[in-house]
Protein backbone atom coordinates (compact mmCIF):
# COMPACT_ATOMS: atom_id res chain seq x y z
CA UNK A 1 0.00 0.00 0.00
CA UNK A 2 2.84 2.32 0.87
CA UNK A 3 4.54 1.62 -2.51
CA UNK A 4 1.33 2.42 -4.42
CA UNK A 5 0.81 5.74 -2.65
CA UNK A 6 4.47 6.62 -3.24
CA UNK A 7 4.21 6.00 -6.98
CA UNK A 8 0.99 7.97 -7.16
CA UNK A 9 2.55 10.89 -5.35
CA UNK A 10 5.22 11.18 -8.05
CA UNK A 11 2.76 11.69 -10.92
CA UNK A 12 1.76 15.28 -10.08
CA UNK A 13 5.41 16.35 -10.12
CA UNK A 14 6.17 14.39 -13.30
CA UNK A 15 3.32 16.00 -15.25
CA UNK A 16 4.54 19.63 -14.98
CA UNK A 17 8.11 18.51 -15.69
CA UNK A 18 6.99 16.66 -18.81
CA UNK A 19 4.94 19.66 -19.95
CA UNK A 20 7.89 21.99 -19.44
CA UNK A 21 10.20 19.64 -21.35
CA UNK A 22 7.78 19.37 -24.28
CA UNK A 23 7.25 23.14 -24.35
CA UNK A 24 11.00 23.77 -24.26
CA UNK A 25 11.49 21.31 -27.13
CA UNK A 26 8.94 23.06 -29.36
CA UNK A 27 10.27 26.50 -28.45
CA UNK A 28 13.83 25.52 -29.35
CA UNK A 29 12.72 23.81 -32.56
CA UNK A 30 10.71 26.87 -33.60
CA UNK A 31 13.66 29.14 -32.78
CA UNK A 32 15.99 27.07 -34.98
CA UNK A 33 13.53 27.24 -37.87
CA UNK A 34 13.36 31.01 -37.43
CA UNK A 35 17.16 31.31 -37.52
CA UNK A 36 17.40 29.09 -40.59
CA UNK A 37 14.74 31.19 -42.35
CA UNK A 38 16.71 34.36 -41.64
CA UNK A 39 19.86 32.82 -43.13
CA UNK A 40 17.98 31.65 -46.22
CA UNK A 41 16.41 35.10 -46.68
CA UNK A 42 19.73 36.94 -46.41
CA UNK A 43 21.76 34.47 -48.45
CA UNK A 44 23.34 36.05 -51.49
CA UNK A 45 24.50 32.80 -53.11
CA UNK A 46 23.85 32.92 -56.86
CA UNK A 47 21.51 30.28 -58.31
CA UNK A 48 21.45 28.96 -61.84
CA UNK A 49 19.32 26.83 -64.13
CA UNK A 50 21.22 24.16 -66.08
CA UNK A 51 20.61 24.32 -69.84
CA UNK A 52 21.25 20.85 -71.31
CA UNK A 53 21.08 22.24 -74.87
CA UNK A 54 23.73 24.97 -74.64
CA UNK A 55 25.51 23.46 -71.60
CA UNK A 56 25.47 26.94 -70.07
CA UNK A 57 24.20 28.15 -66.73
CA UNK A 58 21.22 30.51 -66.85
CA UNK A 59 20.93 32.87 -63.84
CA UNK A 60 17.77 32.36 -61.79
CA UNK A 61 15.39 35.32 -61.73
CA UNK A 62 13.95 36.60 -58.46
CA UNK A 63 10.36 37.03 -57.33
CA UNK A 64 11.39 40.64 -56.62
CA UNK A 65 12.10 41.22 -60.34
CA UNK A 66 9.36 42.46 -62.71
CA UNK A 67 7.32 39.68 -64.33
CA UNK A 68 8.50 38.43 -67.74
CA UNK A 69 5.81 35.80 -68.36
CA UNK A 70 2.06 35.70 -67.92
CA UNK A 71 2.06 32.52 -65.86
CA UNK A 72 4.55 30.25 -64.10
CA UNK A 73 3.71 26.67 -63.15
CA UNK A 74 5.74 25.21 -60.27
CA UNK A 75 5.87 21.41 -60.07
CA UNK A 76 7.57 19.85 -57.00
CA UNK A 77 8.84 16.34 -57.69
CA UNK A 78 10.33 13.66 -55.47
CA UNK A 79 10.92 10.22 -57.01
CA UNK A 80 8.31 10.86 -59.72
CA UNK A 81 10.01 9.20 -62.71
CA UNK A 82 6.87 7.14 -63.48
CA UNK A 83 4.21 9.85 -63.07
CA UNK A 84 5.96 13.08 -64.05
CA UNK A 85 6.19 12.61 -67.82
CA UNK A 86 2.47 12.02 -68.32
CA UNK A 87 1.53 15.03 -66.23
CA UNK A 88 4.04 17.28 -68.04
CA UNK A 89 2.85 16.20 -71.51
CA UNK A 90 -0.75 17.04 -70.63
CA UNK A 91 0.27 20.34 -69.00
CA UNK A 92 2.55 21.56 -71.79
CA UNK A 93 0.07 20.57 -74.51
CA UNK A 94 -2.56 22.70 -72.78
CA UNK A 95 -0.19 25.66 -72.43
CA UNK A 96 0.89 25.42 -76.07
CA UNK A 97 -2.73 25.40 -77.23
CA UNK A 98 -3.47 28.54 -75.25
CA UNK A 99 -0.35 30.25 -76.58
CA UNK A 100 -1.41 29.46 -80.16
CA UNK A 101 -4.86 30.98 -79.57
CA UNK A 102 -3.55 34.04 -77.73
CA UNK A 103 -0.23 35.64 -78.69
CA UNK A 104 -0.09 37.50 -75.35
CA UNK A 105 -0.17 34.24 -73.38
CA UNK A 106 3.37 33.34 -72.26
CA UNK A 107 4.35 30.66 -69.78
CA UNK A 108 7.08 28.69 -68.08
CA UNK A 109 7.09 25.37 -66.24
CA UNK A 110 9.52 25.03 -63.33
CA UNK A 111 10.16 21.48 -62.11
CA UNK A 112 11.80 21.36 -58.69
CA UNK A 113 13.52 18.03 -58.05
CA UNK A 114 13.49 17.59 -54.28
CA UNK A 115 16.48 15.28 -53.99
CA UNK A 116 15.04 12.37 -55.97
CA UNK A 117 16.99 9.10 -55.94
CA UNK A 118 15.41 7.76 -59.15
CA UNK A 119 15.41 9.14 -62.73
CA UNK A 120 13.13 12.12 -62.01
CA UNK A 121 15.78 14.68 -62.99
CA UNK A 122 16.46 12.87 -66.28
CA UNK A 123 12.75 12.93 -67.14
CA UNK A 124 12.61 16.63 -66.28
CA UNK A 125 15.70 17.57 -68.32
CA UNK A 126 14.34 15.62 -71.32
CA UNK A 127 11.48 18.14 -71.37
CA UNK A 128 13.96 21.03 -71.17
CA UNK A 129 15.80 19.61 -74.20
CA UNK A 130 12.56 19.28 -76.13
CA UNK A 131 10.91 22.59 -75.22
CA UNK A 132 14.00 24.77 -74.44
CA UNK A 133 14.97 26.38 -71.15
CA UNK A 134 12.84 29.41 -71.93
CA UNK A 135 9.72 27.27 -71.51
CA UNK A 136 10.79 24.50 -69.10
CA UNK A 137 13.30 24.85 -66.26
CA UNK A 138 14.62 22.49 -63.60
CA UNK A 139 15.82 23.32 -60.10
CA UNK A 140 17.83 20.60 -58.32
CA UNK A 141 17.65 20.86 -54.53
CA UNK A 142 20.31 18.22 -53.93
CA UNK A 143 18.88 16.61 -50.79
CA UNK A 144 15.27 15.96 -49.86
CA UNK A 145 13.94 19.08 -48.12
CA UNK A 146 10.19 18.58 -48.48
CA UNK A 147 7.37 19.62 -50.81
CA UNK A 148 6.97 23.00 -49.12
CA UNK A 149 10.61 23.91 -49.65
CA UNK A 150 10.52 22.72 -53.27
CA UNK A 151 7.52 24.95 -54.00
CA UNK A 152 9.06 27.88 -52.12
CA UNK A 153 12.24 27.68 -54.23
CA UNK A 154 10.22 27.45 -57.44
CA UNK A 155 8.07 30.43 -56.50
CA UNK A 156 11.05 32.60 -55.54
CA UNK A 157 12.73 31.94 -58.93
CA UNK A 158 9.69 32.32 -61.20
CA UNK A 159 8.90 34.96 -63.83
CA UNK A 160 5.09 34.90 -64.00
CA UNK A 161 2.44 37.50 -63.25
CA UNK A 162 0.42 34.54 -61.97
CA UNK A 163 2.01 31.58 -60.22
CA UNK A 164 0.41 28.14 -60.00
CA UNK A 165 1.63 25.26 -57.86
CA UNK A 166 0.50 21.81 -58.94
CA UNK A 167 1.41 18.24 -58.08
CA UNK A 168 3.62 16.07 -60.28
CA UNK A 169 1.05 13.26 -60.46
CA UNK A 170 -1.48 15.23 -62.52
CA UNK A 171 -4.29 14.48 -60.05
CA UNK A 172 -6.01 17.78 -60.85
CA UNK A 173 -7.05 18.50 -64.44
CA UNK A 174 -4.79 21.21 -65.84
CA UNK A 175 -7.75 22.87 -67.56
CA UNK A 176 -9.01 23.82 -64.08
CA UNK A 177 -6.20 26.38 -64.11
CA UNK A 178 -8.69 28.65 -65.90
CA UNK A 179 -11.13 28.44 -62.99
CA UNK A 180 -8.55 29.83 -60.58
CA UNK A 181 -7.22 32.29 -63.15
CA UNK A 182 -10.63 33.77 -63.96
CA UNK A 183 -11.57 34.23 -60.30
CA UNK A 184 -8.24 35.91 -59.52
CA UNK A 185 -8.54 38.21 -62.55
CA UNK A 186 -12.14 39.05 -61.69
CA UNK A 187 -11.19 39.97 -58.12
CA UNK A 188 -8.06 41.90 -59.13
CA UNK A 189 -9.81 43.90 -61.86
CA UNK A 190 -12.48 44.93 -59.39
CA UNK A 191 -9.79 46.05 -56.93
CA UNK A 192 -7.93 48.00 -59.63
CA UNK A 193 -11.11 49.98 -60.36
CA UNK A 194 -11.51 50.99 -56.72
CA UNK A 195 -10.83 54.64 -55.81
CA UNK A 196 -7.78 53.56 -53.81
CA UNK A 197 -5.96 51.88 -56.73
CA UNK A 198 -7.43 53.34 -59.93
CA UNK A 199 -5.24 55.56 -62.06
CA UNK A 200 -1.95 54.22 -60.66
CA UNK A 201 -1.02 52.10 -63.67
CA UNK A 202 -1.11 48.87 -61.66
CA UNK A 203 -1.59 45.38 -63.13
CA UNK A 204 -3.38 42.26 -61.93
CA UNK A 205 -0.05 40.94 -60.62
CA UNK A 206 0.18 43.96 -58.30
CA UNK A 207 -2.96 42.95 -56.39
CA UNK A 208 -2.50 40.44 -53.56
CA UNK A 209 -4.92 37.52 -53.90
CA UNK A 210 -4.69 33.73 -53.61
CA UNK A 211 -6.93 31.05 -55.15
CA UNK A 212 -7.06 27.64 -53.49
CA UNK A 213 -8.17 24.62 -55.48
CA UNK A 214 -10.51 22.49 -53.37
CA UNK A 215 -11.67 18.88 -53.20
CA UNK A 216 -14.15 19.59 -50.41
CA UNK A 217 -17.06 18.84 -52.75
CA UNK A 218 -15.69 15.27 -53.08
CA UNK A 219 -15.55 14.64 -49.32
CA UNK A 220 -18.63 12.37 -49.10
CA UNK A 221 -17.33 10.14 -51.88
CA UNK A 222 -13.88 9.99 -50.26
CA UNK A 223 -15.33 9.05 -46.87
CA UNK A 224 -17.21 6.18 -48.46
CA UNK A 225 -14.16 4.69 -50.19
CA UNK A 226 -11.34 5.25 -47.66
CA UNK A 227 -10.45 2.94 -44.78
CA UNK A 228 -12.08 3.91 -41.45
CA UNK A 229 -8.77 4.70 -39.76
CA UNK A 230 -7.75 7.05 -42.60
CA UNK A 231 -11.07 8.87 -42.23
CA UNK A 232 -10.50 9.10 -38.47
CA UNK A 233 -6.99 10.49 -38.93
CA UNK A 234 -8.06 13.00 -41.57
CA UNK A 235 -11.03 14.22 -39.50
CA UNK A 236 -8.70 14.72 -36.57
CA UNK A 237 -6.20 16.53 -38.78
CA UNK A 238 -8.90 18.88 -40.14
CA UNK A 239 -9.98 19.69 -36.58
CA UNK A 240 -6.43 20.61 -35.60
CA UNK A 241 -6.08 22.69 -38.78
CA UNK A 242 -9.25 24.57 -37.83
CA UNK A 243 -7.83 25.28 -34.38
CA UNK A 244 -4.48 26.35 -35.86
CA UNK A 245 -5.38 28.47 -38.90
CA UNK A 246 -9.06 29.15 -38.28
CA UNK A 247 -11.96 28.76 -40.70
CA UNK A 248 -12.21 30.01 -44.27
CA UNK A 249 -10.61 27.25 -46.37
CA UNK A 250 -12.19 23.80 -46.16
CA UNK A 251 -9.45 21.97 -48.09
CA UNK A 252 -6.03 23.34 -47.19
CA UNK A 253 -4.07 20.36 -48.59
CA UNK A 254 -5.08 20.38 -52.25
CA UNK A 255 -1.87 20.84 -54.26
CA UNK A 256 -3.48 23.16 -56.84
CA UNK A 257 -3.07 26.80 -55.76
CA UNK A 258 -2.60 30.06 -57.66
CA UNK A 259 -1.19 33.40 -56.51
CA UNK A 260 -0.60 36.79 -58.04
CA UNK A 261 3.08 37.75 -58.14
CA UNK A 262 2.67 40.21 -55.28
CA UNK A 263 0.86 37.66 -53.11
CA UNK A 264 3.49 35.00 -53.85
CA UNK A 265 6.31 37.37 -52.95
CA UNK A 266 4.70 38.27 -49.62
CA UNK A 267 3.83 34.67 -48.75
CA UNK A 268 6.87 32.68 -49.89
CA UNK A 269 9.41 35.06 -48.38
CA UNK A 270 7.70 34.35 -45.05
CA UNK A 271 6.79 30.66 -45.20
CA UNK A 272 8.99 28.52 -42.94
CA UNK A 273 7.63 24.98 -42.95
CA UNK A 274 9.26 22.74 -45.53
CA UNK A 275 7.06 19.68 -45.62
CA UNK A 276 3.39 18.76 -45.30
CA UNK A 277 1.83 21.67 -43.45
CA UNK A 278 3.24 24.59 -45.40
CA UNK A 279 -0.27 24.75 -46.99
CA UNK A 280 -1.77 25.47 -43.57
CA UNK A 281 0.94 28.03 -42.93
CA UNK A 282 -0.02 29.74 -46.21
CA UNK A 283 -3.61 30.09 -44.95
CA UNK A 284 -2.33 31.46 -41.63
CA UNK A 285 -0.10 33.97 -43.45
CA UNK A 286 -2.87 35.03 -45.83
CA UNK A 287 -5.04 35.90 -42.86
CA UNK A 288 -2.26 37.76 -41.04
CA UNK A 289 -1.18 39.67 -44.17
CA UNK A 290 -4.83 40.29 -45.16
CA UNK A 291 -4.40 38.57 -48.52
CA UNK A 292 -7.87 37.59 -49.81
CA UNK A 293 -8.38 33.86 -50.33
CA UNK A 294 -10.79 32.29 -52.82
CA UNK A 295 -11.62 28.57 -52.58
CA UNK A 296 -12.61 26.98 -55.89
CA UNK A 297 -13.78 23.42 -56.57
CA UNK A 298 -11.52 21.50 -58.96
CA UNK A 299 -11.67 18.14 -60.69
CA UNK A 300 -9.50 15.61 -58.91
CA UNK A 301 -8.75 11.91 -59.20
CA UNK A 302 -6.79 9.52 -56.99
CA UNK A 303 -3.47 8.63 -58.63
CA UNK A 304 -1.63 5.49 -57.42
CA UNK A 305 1.69 6.14 -55.69
CA UNK A 306 0.68 8.44 -52.83
CA UNK A 307 3.53 9.20 -50.41
CA UNK A 308 1.28 9.93 -47.42
CA UNK A 309 1.81 7.44 -44.58
CA UNK A 310 0.81 7.28 -40.91
CA UNK A 311 4.12 8.93 -40.07
CA UNK A 312 3.18 11.75 -42.46
CA UNK A 313 0.03 12.46 -40.40
CA UNK A 314 2.11 12.56 -37.22
CA UNK A 315 4.59 14.93 -38.86
CA UNK A 316 1.68 17.13 -39.96
CA UNK A 317 0.43 17.38 -36.38
CA UNK A 318 3.95 18.24 -35.23
CA UNK A 319 4.17 21.05 -37.79
CA UNK A 320 0.75 22.40 -36.80
CA UNK A 321 2.00 22.77 -33.24
CA UNK A 322 5.06 24.59 -34.60
CA UNK A 323 2.81 27.10 -36.36
CA UNK A 324 1.04 27.87 -33.09
CA UNK A 325 4.31 28.14 -31.18
CA UNK A 326 6.31 29.99 -33.84
CA UNK A 327 3.75 32.66 -34.69
CA UNK A 328 1.72 32.61 -31.50
CA UNK A 329 4.73 33.43 -29.32
CA UNK A 330 6.25 35.86 -31.81
CA UNK A 331 9.31 33.68 -32.52
CA UNK A 332 8.62 33.81 -36.28
CA UNK A 333 8.41 37.38 -37.50
CA UNK A 334 6.22 38.14 -40.53
CA UNK A 335 7.48 40.58 -43.15
CA UNK A 336 4.69 42.69 -44.70
Amino acid sequence: MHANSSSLSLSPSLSPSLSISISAFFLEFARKIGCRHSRDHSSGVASFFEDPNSLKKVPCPSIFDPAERYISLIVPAFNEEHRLAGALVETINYLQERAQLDSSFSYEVIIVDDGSTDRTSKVAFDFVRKHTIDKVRVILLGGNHGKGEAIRKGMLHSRGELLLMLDADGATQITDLQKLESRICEFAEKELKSPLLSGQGLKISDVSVAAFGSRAHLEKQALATRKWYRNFLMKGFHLVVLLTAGSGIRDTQCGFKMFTRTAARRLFTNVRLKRWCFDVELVYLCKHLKIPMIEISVSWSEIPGSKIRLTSILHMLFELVLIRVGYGLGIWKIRP
Side-chain angles (χ1 to χ4, degrees), residues 268-282:
F268 288 95
T269 53
N270 276 299
V271 73
R272 289 167 170 83
L273 296 182
K274 295 179 178 287
R275 296 193 179 273
W276 300 105
C277 282
F278 80 98
D279 302 87
V280 181
E281 188 182 6
L282 287 174

Side-chain angles (χ1 to χ4, degrees), residues 5-193:
S5 60
S6 175
S7 61
L8 287 172
S9 64
L10 290 174
S11 58
S13 60
L14 282 175
S15 181
S17 299
L18 183 61
S19 299
I20 292 171
S21 298
I22 293 173
S23 299
F25 170 77
F26 277 104
L27 284 169
E28 179 61 16
F29 206 95
R31 187 192 65 79
K32 287 182 178 179
I33 290 176
C35 292
R36 182 183 63 201
H37 179 264
S38 297
R39 289 196 300 270
D40 290 346
H41 189 79
S42 60
S43 175
V45 177
S47 300
F48 299 90
F49 290 111
E50 299 282 350
D51 184 356
N53 293 320
S54 67
L55 301 180
K56 294 180 180 179
K57 294 181 182 293
V58 177
C60 285
S62 168
I63 191 71
F64 293 95
D65 298 335
E68 298 177 4
R69 297 291 181 272
Y70 174 67
I71 191 167
S72 297
L73 281 70
I74 291 87
V75 184
F78 175 66
N79 289 348
E80 292 286 0
E81 65 172 322
H82 299 298
R83 303 193 296 182
L84 181 61
L88 286 178
V89 167
E90 181 181 350
T91 297
I92 293 174
N93 285 344
Y94 164 80
L95 295 171
Q96 288 177 330
E97 288 175 7
R98 283 197 60 177
Q100 289 173 358
L101 295 172
D102 181 0
S103 59
S104 66
F105 182 85
S106 56
Y107 65 88
E108 67 174 352
V109 178
I110 301 176
I111 305 151
V112 188
D113 185 348
D114 186 26
S116 299
T117 56
D118 61 1
R119 291 160 53 89
T120 295
S121 62
K122 181 185 182 305
V123 172
F125 276 115
D126 284 345
F127 279 85
V128 182
R129 291 185 182 92
K130 181 177 180 180
H131 299 282
T132 77
I133 198 166
D134 189 53
K135 293 288 194 294
V136 182
R137 298 180 161 193
V138 178
I139 296 176
L140 302 174
L141 293 189
N144 177 244
H145 296 275
K147 179 181 177 181
E149 178 65 4
I151 290 174
R152 187 182 78 90
K153 283 291 175 65
M155 290 281 176
L156 294 181
H157 295 305
S158 63
R159 297 177 288 172
E161 294 182 45
L162 300 177
L163 292 82
L164 176 77
M165 52 175 270
L166 66 163
D167 290 337
D169 59 5
T172 304
Q173 291 184 7
I174 189 59
T175 52
D176 280 352
L177 175 158
Q178 290 174 262
K179 292 183 181 179
L180 278 62
E181 176 190 3
S182 62
R183 291 290 298 277
I184 279 185
C185 291
E186 178 185 338
F187 177 89
E189 287 169 358
K190 184 177 179 180
E191 287 293 301
L192 291 174
K193 292 176 182 177

Side-chain angles (χ1 to χ4, degrees), residues 294-309:
I294 308 168
E295 187 169 14
I296 302 155
S297 298
V298 294
S299 303
W300 186 85
S301 55
E302 186 84 44
I303 305 295
S306 171
K307 297 180 176 66
I308 296 181
R309 305 287 184 267

Side-chain angles (χ1 to χ4, degrees), residues 233-234 237-238 240-241 244 252-253 273 275-280 307-323:
L233 289 171
M234 290 311 296
F237 174 74
H238 289 317
V240 179
V241 167
T244 302
T252 60
Q253 301 309 111
L273 296 182
R275 296 193 179 273
W276 300 105
C277 282
F278 80 98
D279 302 87
V280 181
K307 297 180 176 66
I308 296 181
R309 305 287 184 267
L310 175 60
T311 53
S312 304
I313 299 293
L314 296 175
H315 195 97
M316 289 178 184
L317 295 174
F318 176 75
E319 289 191 334
L320 289 174
V321 174
L322 283 177
I323 292 175

